[in-house]
Amino acid sequence: MGLLQRTKVCGELRSCNAGDEVVLNGWAHRVRDLGGVMFVDLRDRSGLVQLVLDPSAFPNRAEIRSETCLAVTGKVRERAEETKNPKMETGDVEVVVTGYTVLGPSKTLPFPLNDEDQMVNVNEDLRIKYRYLDLRRPSMYRRLAIRSSLINRIRRHMEEQGFIEVETPIITKSTPEGARDYLVPYRLEPGKFYALPQSPQQYKQLLMVAGIERYFQIAKCFRDESQRADRQPEFTQLDLEMSFVVQEDVLQLTEGMLRDVLNAVIGQFGLDKDPVETFERLTFDESMHLYGCDKPDLRFGLQLFDASDAFADSEFGVFRNAVESGGVIRGVRYPGGAGLSRKEVGQLEEFAREFGAKGLATLAFESENDVKGSIAKFVSADKAAELRKLSGAEPGDLLCMVADDYATANNVLYRLRLEIGERCGLRNPRELKFCWVVDFPLVEWDAEAGRWSPTHHPFTSPKEEDLVYLDSDPGRIRADCYDVVCNGTEMASGSIRIHRTDIQARIFKLLGIDEKTQQDRFGHILEAFSFGAPPHGGIAPGIDRLAMALTDTENIREVIAFPKVGNGYDPLMDAPSTVDAQQWAELGLRLSK
Ligand code: ASP
């Protein structure tokens, strides 16, 4: 570039630079040709600065359009007081252009890049098709920079703690994490496939057998599952594993790392977040009981209450029958909800039905023990007082109750609680409220498949003391298995692993994986465990989700440079796409009609 190479970046110019001759490189962010004078906001990744051009000196100036890439020479000058722009960091100065060169002309853009507010109206698929333009926006650059800092700080922290980063293969054998595999056909033996890893789970366990003791990796994981706002077919985890540890060691290491790293990133970028504090701890059972789910949003209270005993002998048939048939009556408090209209209460009921409730019983505390609502006539003054005590209701509150089996009632109330929290504005947007959920059940009954399936994955260790239930009552076995949850989202899952071949074989059997399948799919790891396997455990926090929490976005695609859209499609590269006939033939593949 020679003489055209920049001597300053746009965002650094201030009054103290007035009088400096500078060369700038960047993109024309906004162009305003007023006839007598032309203004161009020049942008590079450091920021924007206003250029001033004398139209008579630049007859070809129409070639400077939005997003033209330019090299500019000019002189910095202090702006007149009344034209200073306090909204721009460089707003005290402008650069009077003495010459420019178009480094890269630009066609008309598919969407304008200079109005962040307008971007919400731009179709997301179009943004991703032209991601290289979308990423030019300062807000997108900032997200990538935050992500980069997050990853770098994690790497540093892990190395300081004695971990080494080991890369594990991408084309490999299936490692189940509960999703479908992405398969890669093997050219040399048609009919055989590699699988892309759903996680590096097996390799990291093999690395423990290999004596690495402390492993981590910023790992790509691939899962072919239906997409949601917080899921992508490929995503990134901080995968880690440690030897000679118990659950508490993994918890402490992980919590220390997350707090240290997140607080440093919050400070570095001046994010609108309070420092992350000590993680609360809940067992799975407590979490289900208090919040109806295993990923509670602890930014607000509103714990569920259980009124099964209070209503066991109720005159209200629905309640009495529910309790008699082994169900529960559980509810959640709606602060200030007594003032809702009939229609609004109807909407809440509709909401509850969407998630499987047969109905929603409501009780409004107009004043002390004066109650109204769908079940008021079944509630005596004594019962009302009892319910107030159970639920913590104040005058003006509404109680929403569901009579059903424990799982259904919890699921409905979990969602209703979030809805109420949202409506009442109970979440503090500055808060990143982390907690641990521990002691998950080892297995859950998969009614569709008619068998037990792992709550986490098949390598998770049962709690020693619960092994007695293995044959009699597997659903009762708790595992050394833990999740990190932040603001109601699962951020990480991990566990202490089974390192004994005999126990692993028993668990495989419980999961209905017969011996031949065990050997075919996991023979290598079972054999590895027979050569002095150390006790080990680990966890894998999701990098994308951490970046989402830091940048306040609910869309995972906003923190990934080149994401897929719905159905796993990449509109930028047009992938997946067809391949030529020769490649089909080489792979021994044919499309069945
Ligand atoms: N492989 C697990 C997962 O991807 C994490 C772990 O158990 O360490 O969720």
Side-chain angles (χ1 to χ4, degrees):
M1 288 186 61
L3 285 177
L4 298 177
Q5 208 161 4
R6 61 186 165 191
T7 56
K8 288 269 187 252
V9 293
C10 300
E12 73 177 303
L13 298 178
R14 297 287 183 275
S15 301
C16 62
N17 300 107
D20 291 358
E21 305 271 356
V22 294
V23 182
L24 300 173
N25 296 158
W27 289 266
H29 186 68
R30 191 174 289 116
V31 181
R32 283 156 294 149
D33 193 344
L34 307 179
V37 60
M38 180 173 175
F39 294 107
V40 175
D41 288 343
L42 191 71
R43 185 197 68 240
D44 61 22
R45 65 178 208 175
S46 69
L48 294 165
V49 69
Q50 174 166 287
L51 309 179
V52 189
L53 289 87
D54 173 1
S56 61
F58 300 106
N60 295 333
R61 65 188 181 284
E63 67 190 346
I64 304 180
R65 313 171 68 209
S66 273
E67 295 306 313
T68 304
C69 186
L70 293 169
V72 173
T73 54
K75 195 166 180 175
V76 183
R77 82 172 171 210
E78 176 114 22
R79 293 200 207 180
E81 213 50 49
E82 66 281 9
T83 62
K84 286 190 175 172
N85 180 355
K87 286 199 202 118
M88 248 172 129
E89 292 203 36
T90 61
D92 285 351
V93 296
E94 56 196 3
V95 176
V96 182
V97 175
T98 51
Y100 74 81
T101 302
V102 172
L103 300 174
S106 177
K107 295 201 298 189
T108 301
L109 301 167
F111 44 82
L113 302 183
N114 54 19
D115 187 344
E116 289 274 354
D117 295 340
Q118 278 302 315
M119 284 309 294
V120 292
N121 302 322
V122 177
N123 175 284
E124 199 195 7
D125 288 13
L126 191 68
R127 280 178 55 204
I128 294 174
K129 177 168 164 62
Y130 293 98
R131 193 59 151 187
Y132 46 86
L133 295 178
D134 193 36
L135 292 177
R136 285 187 188 173
R137 294 189 295 131
S139 59
M140 294 301 283
Y141 176 78
R142 185 173 157 87
R143 287 202 189 107
L144 291 186
I146 290 171
R147 184 184 173 113
S148 165
S149 166
L150 174 68
I151 291 176
N152 276 303
R153 286 174 189 281
I154 288 174
R155 283 208 161 96
R156 240 178 293 154
H157 186 101
M158 296 305 285
E159 289 219 323
E160 277 163 19
Q161 296 295 320
F163 287 73
I164 63 166
E165 182 161 18
V166 182
E167 291 167 276
T168 55
I170 295 295
I171 48 173
T172 174
K173 193 180 175 93
S174 175
T175 279
E177 296 279 359
R180 254 185 226 106
D181 287 322
Y182 282 102
L183 298 174
V184 179
Y186 178 52
R187 180 174 51 83
L188 299 180
E189 279 182 62
K192 288 201 167 163
F193 296 85
Y194 297 105
L196 307 187
Q198 293 185 30
S199 80
Q201 185 62 36
Q202 295 189 60
Y203 283 113
K204 70 173 169 177
Q205 294 194 237
L206 292 172
L207 285 170
M208 294 304 105
V209 180
I212 300 299
E213 293 192 22
R214 289 189 159 213
Y215 142 95
F216 83 101
Q217 180 179 194
I218 304 294
K220 274 282 169 100
C221 303
F222 306 85
R223 297 184 192 176
D224 186 359
E225 56 194 346
S226 51
Q227 283 199 55
R228 289 196 311 232
D230 60 354
R231 273 194 192 157
Q232 278 277 295
E234 58 180 297
F235 60 95
T236 311
Q237 287 183 339
L238 159 61
D239 193 45
L240 69 92
E241 197 75 8
M242 310 162 76
S243 286
F244 308 118
V245 291
V246 292
Q247 171 167 309
E248 188 59 31
D249 300 307
V250 183
L251 264 48
Q252 293 213 7
L253 178 284
T254 307
E255 178 170 340
M257 180 276 300
L258 286 174
R259 289 184 55 199
D260 190 64
V261 164
L262 293 172
N263 288 337
V265 178
I266 290 170
Q268 180 190 349
F269 287 87
L271 302 178
D272 282 336
K273 297 285 171 219
D274 295 331
V276 177
E277 292 178 354
T278 312
F279 297 8
E280 270 182 45
R281 285 198 194 184
L282 293 157
T283 64
F284 172 85
D285 286 345
E286 283 166 347
S287 183
M288 294 308 283
H289 187 71
L290 297 175
Y291 304 100
C293 67
D294 59 5
K295 42 178 193 249
D297 187 341
L298 298 185
R299 280 173 296 177
F300 59 97
L302 292 194
Q303 294 178 346
L304 310 187
F305 61 91
D306 197 305
S308 310
D309 289 345
F311 282 114
D313 55 358
S314 172
E315 287 160 35
F316 182 38
V318 174
F319 275 13
R320 201 183 48 246
N321 293 343
V323 178
E324 274 169 10
S325 56
V328 292
I329 296 149
R330 293 171 62 72
V332 63
R333 182 170 70 87
Y334 190 142
L340 294 185
S341 68
R342 208 177 257 263
K343 185 164 161 223
E344 286 167 320
V345 173
Q347 285 165 350
L348 283 182
E349 174 157 9
E350 211 33 60
F351 180 92
R353 281 182 196 277
E354 251 173 65
F355 294 104
K358 296 186 196 76
L360 188 70
T362 53
L363 196 66
F365 284 85
E366 304 271 307
S367 61
E368 278 298 294
N369 291 334
D370 173 17
V371 290
K372 293 233 162 55
S374 67
I375 58 161
K377 64 171 179 249
F378 303 110
V379 177
S380 64
D382 281 357
K383 273 285 170 254
E386 191 180 347
L387 280 172
R388 275 196 60 189
K389 205 153 156 224
L390 279 174
S391 65
E394 301 281 338
D397 289 353
L398 177 78
L399 299 187
C400 303
M401 286 170 279
V402 174
D404 220 309
D405 61 76
Y406 187 66
T408 309
N410 274 347
N411 183 41
V412 173
L413 292 168
Y414 150 53
R415 292 166 200 276
L416 198 56
R417 174 179 174 272
L418 294 183
E419 175 72 14
I420 294 171
E422 179 68 28
R423 289 178 181 211
C424 297
L426 299 178
R427 297 184 176 104
N428 172 0
R430 294 191 57 87
E431 203 170 9
L432 293 176
K433 190 80 178 152
F434 277 87
C435 68
W436 284 106
V437 180
V438 300
D439 298 352
F440 275 78
L442 181 73
V443 289
E444 53 202 0
W445 183 249
D446 180 343
E448 217 169 283
R451 58 177 161 76
W452 294 103
S453 75
T455 306
H456 188 38
H457 51 55
F459 311 108
T460 297
S461 174
K463 282 196 187 292
E464 187 107 28
E465 64 268 29
D466 287 0
L467 264 178
V468 288
Y469 306 121
L470 192 57
D471 299 318
S472 57
D473 192 0
R476 219 172 135 177
I477 306 173
R478 289 164 309 152
D480 278 332
C481 179
Y482 33 81
D483 275 6
V484 175
V485 175
C486 174
N487 294 358
T489 300
E490 180 196 313
M491 290 285 170
S493 282
S495 57
I496 297 297
R497 326 299 182 184
I498 302 166
H499 73 286
R500 278 175 40 192
T501 326
D502 56 333
I503 296 184
Q504 185 69 73
R506 287 175 73 190
I507 299 300
F508 279 145
K509 189 164 161 233
L510 170 66
L511 299 173
I513 305 175
D514 63 39
E515 249 162 68
K516 169 148 186 351
T517 317
Q518 283 175 33
Q519 280 311 318
D520 288 350
R521 294 183 63 191
F522 306 114
H524 50 280
I525 200 163
L526 290 173
E527 184 174 23
F529 286 164
S530 65
F531 292 107
H536 60 285
I539 191 165
I543 299 284
D544 311 280
R545 289 189 183 174
L546 291 172
M548 286 163 71
L550 285 171
T551 58
D552 261 331
T553 172
E554 286 178 7
N555 179 348
I556 192 171
R557 296 179 292 274
E558 296 292 332
V559 295
I560 296 179
F562 297 107
K564 309 281 189 290
V565 299
N567 296 336
Y569 180 62
D570 173 353
L572 169 54
M573 304 288 276
D574 183 26
S577 54
T578 49
V579 296
D580 59 39
Q582 192 190 338
Q583 285 174 299
W584 281 88
E586 272 174 1
L587 294 171
L589 293 175
R590 226 175 327 115
L591 206 59
S592 70
K593 288 268 154 32

